[in-house]
Amino acid sequence: MVRGESLSRNWMLFCFGAVISLSSAQRQVTASILTTQEATKSETQLQRHIPAFVQPSWFNPTQNTNLTIKLSDRRVYVYRDNQVQASYPIAVGKAGWETPTGTFKVLQMLQNPAWEHPWTGQVIPPGPNNPLGPRWIAFWTDGKNMIGFHGTPNEQLIGQAVSHGCVRMRNRDVMALYQQVTVGTTVTVQR
């Protein structure tokens, strides 16, 4: 798997050019990936589509950090060297849109993501009304659809099964989680 700084420019454009949306056909949270035509636009034009990717400056790739989501607990646990470092309450996928179980890797990290409505095409810019909140951490994809951790303007729903597969977090918690992981961090989802 290609990781961090060794990503090629094309892979970075593919990963970072995503605008998160919902797909009724796949019944999962999806990423609307830039088309080939959009990907060939000048870098200046692309900057409005590509949110900044930030790897924490303190991150040490030799540290053994991984995440475990326990769906029944409605929590995500941050482990470093097999010791729990933090735990956060989450909302998970509702019936028919369940959060997938298994072992995955963080694929993409975005600050202040925009969200594209899957049916109207309306783009909701970063801000207090954005359904993704201030951070997006993708960990599952089928090549078209993506599922990840994100904030929410509806923090009162944390602890419930209400999402379309994603892991919703309080905004302050997803910002804290964002600082503890990097692309390639292992994410294990258990029932």
Side-chain angles (χ1 to χ4, degrees), residues 67-69 74-78 86-92 130-137 139 148-160 162-163 166-181:
L67 306 177
T68 299
I69 297 169
R74 303 285 200 271
R75 293 192 78 80
V76 59
Y77 299 88
V78 180
S87 168
Y88 305 103
I90 58 175
V92 299
N130 185 299
L132 299 179
R135 299 291 183 269
W136 166 252
I137 307 168
F139 64 84
F149 299 93
H150 63 81
T152 179
N154 301 310
E155 292 184 351
Q156 71 277 8
L157 297 177
I158 300 301
Q160 300 178 42
V162 294
S163 79
C166 279
V167 179
R168 295 183 191 175
M169 300 178 71
R170 292 183 299 215
N171 291 327
R172 69 177 183 261
D173 292 346
V174 77
M175 290 174 71
L177 182 67
Y178 191 92
Q179 294 300 314
Q180 297 174 72
V181 300

Side-chain angles (χ1 to χ4, degrees), residues 53-124:
F53 170 77
V54 177
Q55 183 177 34
S57 59
W58 58 264
F59 183 76
N60 179 349
T62 62
Q63 290 179 322
N64 184 15
T65 300
N66 60 75
L67 306 177
T68 299
I69 297 169
K70 293 188 179 178
L71 298 173
S72 60
D73 291 355
R74 303 285 200 271
R75 293 192 78 80
V76 59
Y77 299 88
V78 180
Y79 288 88
R80 188 167 302 117
D81 297 323
N82 297 319
Q83 300 292 319
V84 174
Q85 301 297 306
S87 168
Y88 305 103
I90 58 175
V92 299
K94 60 187 172 183
W97 301 67
E98 290 84 3
T99 304
T101 57
T103 301
F104 313 100
K105 299 274 186 189
V106 170
L107 305 169
Q108 180 186 57
M109 296 174 65
L110 302 174
Q111 289 190 25
N112 302 312
W115 179 74
E116 182 179 356
H117 191 286
W119 297 283
T120 67
Q122 177 187 10
V123 175
I124 307 296

